[in-house]
Amino acid sequence: MLAPALRRLARVPQPITLTGREPQTSAAELLAGLVPPPQFARASFDSYVPDPAHPSQAKAQQALRDLGEQLLRPARKSLFRKAAPPPSIYLDGGYGVGKTHLLASLAHAVGSERSAYGTFVEYTHLVGALGFAPCVKELSTRSLVAIDEFELDDPGDTVLMSRLLRELADAGVSLVATSNTLPEALGEGRFAAEDFLREIQALAARFTVMRIDGEDYRQRTGRPQSTGHTDDAVREAVDASTAGGAVVSLDAWRPLMAHLARIHPSRYGRLVDGVDAVALTGVDQLDDDMVGLRLVVLIDRLYDRGVPVRLGGAGVADIVSERMLTKGYRKKYYRALSRLGALAALPLPGERAAS
């Protein structure tokens, strides 16, 4: 028989590991998941507070509000005139100005049965899971397809998304996208964009571009100055949270980065579902864009869910190299650092917020 002390130890809750998870998603689950993420489950046009110093925010808010009302009106049919193409809007602006909030608000206003909401990577994976024609057929039943974090990282995505959006627009679907890059500059610095200029120009021509100016509402300019903790401090914080019943993951940095390479980015959300906090030990600096881009997606999914993060080792500001912050993906990295800084400032379950 176990001694009393060992029996008590055996009942102590233990952290889980993300590297021990192998998430899977079916095509039906992917379709059901085309809704705004938990972080924006209650987002509305009324809860978006535009900055008076940047009138473009209020202008974008009103434009999307008007579009939502338009999409809810019964369509007028004419025997003599071809229906006008549906309105499509491209929200361009820096990170932290509320583009995702507005996009989620529009999807909520139109309703889940008439809209589809997803990130760029989720739509590309949906095509892979369903096949191109079934994907077009399914999305064509919606009045609105909302695409968050629109970016072109490779030529294949350029051709795929150009064709997908063309067929959806021809089917009468309104398209609204958000990005940190103007549509005619998509792919710039990532691949030989000039070789795919026609596809990129075709994408750009389908949108009315609206620029949203402003400062990052997370109160950060450039790289957050969050410092890392010692690995021991991270483990102690994890022990305290798990002892209180929270589900906390604890992983070593490099093994987790290797694990992400074995999972399609569209499944990163499922990877962290049900996790109350994420803790990492041995965090050091990355200088590999393939690893960095996977990390960006993971941070986005954590941010969607408002999951607190603790880093042991390097702090938020130092997890990507200076080289990565000066090349083609720099806007993605800066957005990810801003979001990670916000998550690192959140208290772990059972921990008091910093005053």
mmCIF file of all heavy atoms in Angstrom, residues 130-154:
data_model
loop_
_atom_site.group_PDB
_atom_site.id
_atom_site.type_symbol
_atom_site.label_atom_id
_atom_site.label_comp_id
_atom_site.label_asym_id
_atom_site.label_seq_id
_atom_site.Cartn_x
_atom_site.Cartn_y
_atom_site.Cartn_z
ATOM 1 N N LEU A 130 -12.055 19.814 -47.813
ATOM 2 C CA LEU A 130 -13.288 19.546 -48.541
ATOM 3 C C LEU A 130 -13.067 19.292 -50.023
ATOM 4 O O LEU A 130 -13.856 18.593 -50.656
ATOM 5 C CB LEU A 130 -14.246 20.739 -48.399
ATOM 6 C CG LEU A 130 -14.776 21.088 -47.011
ATOM 7 C CD1 LEU A 130 -15.740 22.264 -47.113
ATOM 8 C CD2 LEU A 130 -15.462 19.903 -46.374
ATOM 9 N N GLY A 131 -12.008 19.872 -50.579
ATOM 10 C CA GLY A 131 -11.860 19.932 -52.028
ATOM 11 C C GLY A 131 -12.362 21.286 -52.500
ATOM 12 O O GLY A 131 -13.219 21.912 -51.852
ATOM 13 N N PHE A 132 -11.847 21.775 -53.619
ATOM 14 C CA PHE A 132 -12.156 23.139 -54.042
ATOM 15 C C PHE A 132 -13.643 23.319 -54.355
ATOM 16 O O PHE A 132 -14.297 24.224 -53.819
ATOM 17 C CB PHE A 132 -11.318 23.532 -55.264
ATOM 18 C CG PHE A 132 -11.463 24.974 -55.640
ATOM 19 C CD1 PHE A 132 -10.707 25.952 -55.009
ATOM 20 C CD2 PHE A 132 -12.380 25.367 -56.606
ATOM 21 C CE1 PHE A 132 -10.858 27.290 -55.327
ATOM 22 C CE2 PHE A 132 -12.534 26.706 -56.933
ATOM 23 C CZ PHE A 132 -11.772 27.668 -56.294
ATOM 24 N N ALA A 133 -14.206 22.470 -55.211
ATOM 25 C CA ALA A 133 -15.600 22.642 -55.620
ATOM 26 C C ALA A 133 -16.571 22.526 -54.441
ATOM 27 O O ALA A 133 -17.462 23.379 -54.289
ATOM 28 C CB ALA A 133 -15.953 21.641 -56.718
ATOM 29 N N PRO A 134 -16.438 21.505 -53.571
ATOM 30 C CA PRO A 134 -17.341 21.448 -52.414
ATOM 31 C C PRO A 134 -17.185 22.653 -51.481
ATOM 32 O O PRO A 134 -18.165 23.100 -50.879
ATOM 33 C CB PRO A 134 -16.924 20.151 -51.706
ATOM 34 C CG PRO A 134 -16.324 19.311 -52.776
ATOM 35 C CD PRO A 134 -15.613 20.289 -53.668
ATOM 36 N N CYS A 135 -15.960 23.172 -51.368
ATOM 37 C CA CYS A 135 -15.742 24.349 -50.518
ATOM 38 C C CYS A 135 -16.476 25.557 -51.090
ATOM 39 O O CYS A 135 -17.151 26.290 -50.355
ATOM 40 C CB CYS A 135 -14.245 24.636 -50.397
ATOM 41 S SG CYS A 135 -13.850 25.999 -49.280
ATOM 42 N N VAL A 136 -16.356 25.768 -52.402
ATOM 43 C CA VAL A 136 -17.063 26.874 -53.043
ATOM 44 C C VAL A 136 -18.572 26.704 -52.875
ATOM 45 O O VAL A 136 -19.297 27.657 -52.554
ATOM 46 C CB VAL A 136 -16.702 26.960 -54.537
ATOM 47 C CG1 VAL A 136 -17.589 27.970 -55.255
ATOM 48 C CG2 VAL A 136 -15.240 27.343 -54.711
ATOM 49 N N LYS A 137 -19.057 25.484 -53.062
ATOM 50 C CA LYS A 137 -20.493 25.218 -52.924
ATOM 51 C C LYS A 137 -20.983 25.542 -51.527
ATOM 52 O O LYS A 137 -22.042 26.159 -51.351
ATOM 53 C CB LYS A 137 -20.776 23.756 -53.263
ATOM 54 C CG LYS A 137 -22.246 23.385 -53.186
ATOM 55 C CD LYS A 137 -22.468 21.923 -53.555
ATOM 56 C CE LYS A 137 -23.945 21.542 -53.458
ATOM 57 N NZ LYS A 137 -24.161 20.106 -53.803
ATOM 58 N N GLU A 138 -20.211 25.144 -50.510
ATOM 59 C CA GLU A 138 -20.615 25.384 -49.124
ATOM 60 C C GLU A 138 -20.586 26.869 -48.794
ATOM 61 O O GLU A 138 -21.537 27.408 -48.228
ATOM 62 C CB GLU A 138 -19.688 24.618 -48.178
ATOM 63 C CG GLU A 138 -19.973 24.836 -46.712
ATOM 64 C CD GLU A 138 -21.334 24.341 -46.275
ATOM 65 O OE1 GLU A 138 -21.759 23.290 -46.792
ATOM 66 O OE2 GLU A 138 -21.965 25.000 -45.433
ATOM 67 N N LEU A 139 -19.501 27.550 -49.136
ATOM 68 C CA LEU A 139 -19.374 28.962 -48.784
ATOM 69 C C LEU A 139 -20.308 29.842 -49.609
ATOM 70 O O LEU A 139 -20.664 30.945 -49.176
ATOM 71 C CB LEU A 139 -17.925 29.414 -48.954
ATOM 72 C CG LEU A 139 -16.912 28.779 -47.999
ATOM 73 C CD1 LEU A 139 -15.509 29.291 -48.295
ATOM 74 C CD2 LEU A 139 -17.279 29.044 -46.537
ATOM 75 N N SER A 140 -20.711 29.365 -50.777
ATOM 76 C CA SER A 140 -21.610 30.152 -51.618
ATOM 77 C C SER A 140 -23.013 30.258 -51.041
ATOM 78 O O SER A 140 -23.814 31.077 -51.503
ATOM 79 C CB SER A 140 -21.682 29.538 -53.026
ATOM 80 O OG SER A 140 -20.440 29.648 -53.687
ATOM 81 N N THR A 141 -23.310 29.436 -50.040
ATOM 82 C CA THR A 141 -24.621 29.530 -49.390
ATOM 83 C C THR A 141 -24.662 30.682 -48.382
ATOM 84 O O THR A 141 -25.730 31.000 -47.874
ATOM 85 C CB THR A 141 -24.956 28.215 -48.649
ATOM 86 O OG1 THR A 141 -24.018 28.018 -47.581
ATOM 87 C CG2 THR A 141 -24.889 27.028 -49.603
ATOM 88 N N ARG A 142 -23.521 31.300 -48.104
ATOM 89 C CA ARG A 142 -23.453 32.390 -47.127
ATOM 90 C C ARG A 142 -23.568 33.736 -47.840
ATOM 91 O O ARG A 142 -23.185 33.883 -48.995
ATOM 92 C CB ARG A 142 -22.128 32.342 -46.356
ATOM 93 C CG ARG A 142 -21.683 30.942 -45.923
ATOM 94 C CD ARG A 142 -22.576 30.319 -44.870
ATOM 95 N NE ARG A 142 -22.186 28.958 -44.552
ATOM 96 C CZ ARG A 142 -21.457 28.604 -43.506
ATOM 97 N NH1 ARG A 142 -21.004 29.534 -42.678
ATOM 98 N NH2 ARG A 142 -21.172 27.335 -43.280
ATOM 99 N N SER A 143 -24.071 34.711 -47.114
ATOM 100 C CA SER A 143 -24.112 36.081 -47.641
ATOM 101 C C SER A 143 -22.771 36.771 -47.471
ATOM 102 O O SER A 143 -22.428 37.677 -48.243
ATOM 103 C CB SER A 143 -25.192 36.890 -46.906
ATOM 104 O OG SER A 143 -26.461 36.317 -47.069
ATOM 105 N N LEU A 144 -22.014 36.340 -46.441
ATOM 106 C CA LEU A 144 -20.754 36.998 -46.094
ATOM 107 C C LEU A 144 -19.682 35.958 -45.820
ATOM 108 O O LEU A 144 -19.926 34.984 -45.107
ATOM 109 C CB LEU A 144 -20.938 37.855 -44.839
ATOM 110 C CG LEU A 144 -19.666 38.367 -44.143
ATOM 111 C CD1 LEU A 144 -19.015 39.464 -44.988
ATOM 112 C CD2 LEU A 144 -19.988 38.882 -42.735
ATOM 113 N N VAL A 145 -18.503 36.165 -46.382
ATOM 114 C CA VAL A 145 -17.307 35.410 -46.011
ATOM 115 C C VAL A 145 -16.303 36.414 -45.468
ATOM 116 O O VAL A 145 -15.848 37.308 -46.189
ATOM 117 C CB VAL A 145 -16.724 34.627 -47.199
ATOM 118 C CG1 VAL A 145 -15.321 34.122 -46.876
ATOM 119 C CG2 VAL A 145 -17.629 33.450 -47.548
ATOM 120 N N ALA A 146 -16.008 36.302 -44.181
ATOM 121 C CA ALA A 146 -15.078 37.205 -43.505
ATOM 122 C C ALA A 146 -13.737 36.505 -43.339
ATOM 123 O O ALA A 146 -13.673 35.383 -42.845
ATOM 124 C CB ALA A 146 -15.640 37.603 -42.137
ATOM 125 N N ILE A 147 -12.661 37.174 -43.752
ATOM 126 C CA ILE A 147 -11.327 36.577 -43.747
ATOM 127 C C ILE A 147 -10.404 37.447 -42.902
ATOM 128 O O ILE A 147 -10.063 38.572 -43.278
ATOM 129 C CB ILE A 147 -10.755 36.457 -45.172
ATOM 130 C CG1 ILE A 147 -11.762 35.786 -46.106
ATOM 131 C CG2 ILE A 147 -9.442 35.667 -45.159
ATOM 132 C CD1 ILE A 147 -11.421 35.910 -47.572
ATOM 133 N N ASP A 148 -10.004 36.938 -41.749
ATOM 134 C CA ASP A 148 -9.116 37.693 -40.872
ATOM 135 C C ASP A 148 -7.661 37.328 -41.176
ATOM 136 O O ASP A 148 -7.362 36.207 -41.603
ATOM 137 C CB ASP A 148 -9.444 37.363 -39.410
ATOM 138 C CG ASP A 148 -8.920 38.405 -38.446
ATOM 139 O OD1 ASP A 148 -8.615 39.525 -38.884
ATOM 140 O OD2 ASP A 148 -8.820 38.094 -37.239
ATOM 141 N N GLU A 149 -6.760 38.292 -40.955
ATOM 142 C CA GLU A 149 -5.320 38.064 -41.103
ATOM 143 C C GLU A 149 -4.965 37.582 -42.519
ATOM 144 O O GLU A 149 -4.264 36.602 -42.714
ATOM 145 C CB GLU A 149 -4.831 37.053 -40.065
ATOM 146 C CG GLU A 149 -5.107 37.467 -38.631
ATOM 147 C CD GLU A 149 -5.118 36.280 -37.687
ATOM 148 O OE1 GLU A 149 -4.609 35.216 -38.056
ATOM 149 O OE2 GLU A 149 -5.654 36.421 -36.575
ATOM 150 N N PHE A 150 -5.458 38.304 -43.504
ATOM 151 C CA PHE A 150 -5.231 37.933 -44.904
ATOM 152 C C PHE A 150 -3.775 38.204 -45.276
ATOM 153 O O PHE A 150 -3.305 39.324 -45.234
ATOM 154 C CB PHE A 150 -6.151 38.757 -45.810
ATOM 155 C CG PHE A 150 -6.330 38.194 -47.185
ATOM 156 C CD1 PHE A 150 -7.542 37.660 -47.578
ATOM 157 C CD2 PHE A 150 -5.279 38.193 -48.095
ATOM 158 C CE1 PHE A 150 -7.708 37.138 -48.854
ATOM 159 C CE2 PHE A 150 -5.435 37.677 -49.366
ATOM 160 C CZ PHE A 150 -6.659 37.146 -49.754
ATOM 161 N N GLU A 151 -3.061 37.160 -45.617
ATOM 162 C CA GLU A 151 -1.668 37.286 -46.043
ATOM 163 C C GLU A 151 -1.371 36.215 -47.086
ATOM 164 O O GLU A 151 -1.980 35.141 -47.070
ATOM 165 C CB GLU A 151 -0.708 37.104 -44.851
ATOM 166 C CG GLU A 151 -0.645 38.301 -43.915
ATOM 167 C CD GLU A 151 0.047 39.510 -44.512
ATOM 168 O OE1 GLU A 151 0.585 39.411 -45.641
ATOM 169 O OE2 GLU A 151 0.054 40.557 -43.853
ATOM 170 N N LEU A 152 -0.448 36.517 -47.959
ATOM 171 C CA LEU A 152 0.002 35.540 -48.956
ATOM 172 C C LEU A 152 1.452 35.192 -48.664
ATOM 173 O O LEU A 152 2.335 36.025 -48.835
ATOM 174 C CB LEU A 152 -0.141 36.114 -50.372
ATOM 175 C CG LEU A 152 -1.569 36.463 -50.791
ATOM 176 C CD1 LEU A 152 -1.584 37.062 -52.190
ATOM 177 C CD2 LEU A 152 -2.473 35.244 -50.734
ATOM 178 N N ASP A 153 1.669 33.960 -48.225
ATOM 179 C CA ASP A 153 3.015 33.539 -47.862
ATOM 180 C C ASP A 153 3.686 32.684 -48.930
ATOM 181 O O ASP A 153 4.860 32.382 -48.834
ATOM 182 C CB ASP A 153 2.986 32.746 -46.544
ATOM 183 C CG ASP A 153 2.567 33.634 -45.373
ATOM 184 O OD1 ASP A 153 2.763 34.854 -45.468
ATOM 185 O OD2 ASP A 153 2.032 33.098 -44.394
ATOM 186 N N ASP A 154 2.924 32.233 -49.921
ATOM 187 C CA ASP A 154 3.528 31.444 -50.989
ATOM 188 C C ASP A 154 2.673 31.555 -52.242
ATOM 189 O O ASP A 154 1.500 31.927 -52.194
ATOM 190 C CB ASP A 154 3.703 29.979 -50.565
ATOM 191 C CG ASP A 154 2.384 29.293 -50.283
ATOM 192 O OD1 ASP A 154 1.599 29.104 -51.227
ATOM 193 O OD2 ASP A 154 2.136 28.951 -49.110
#
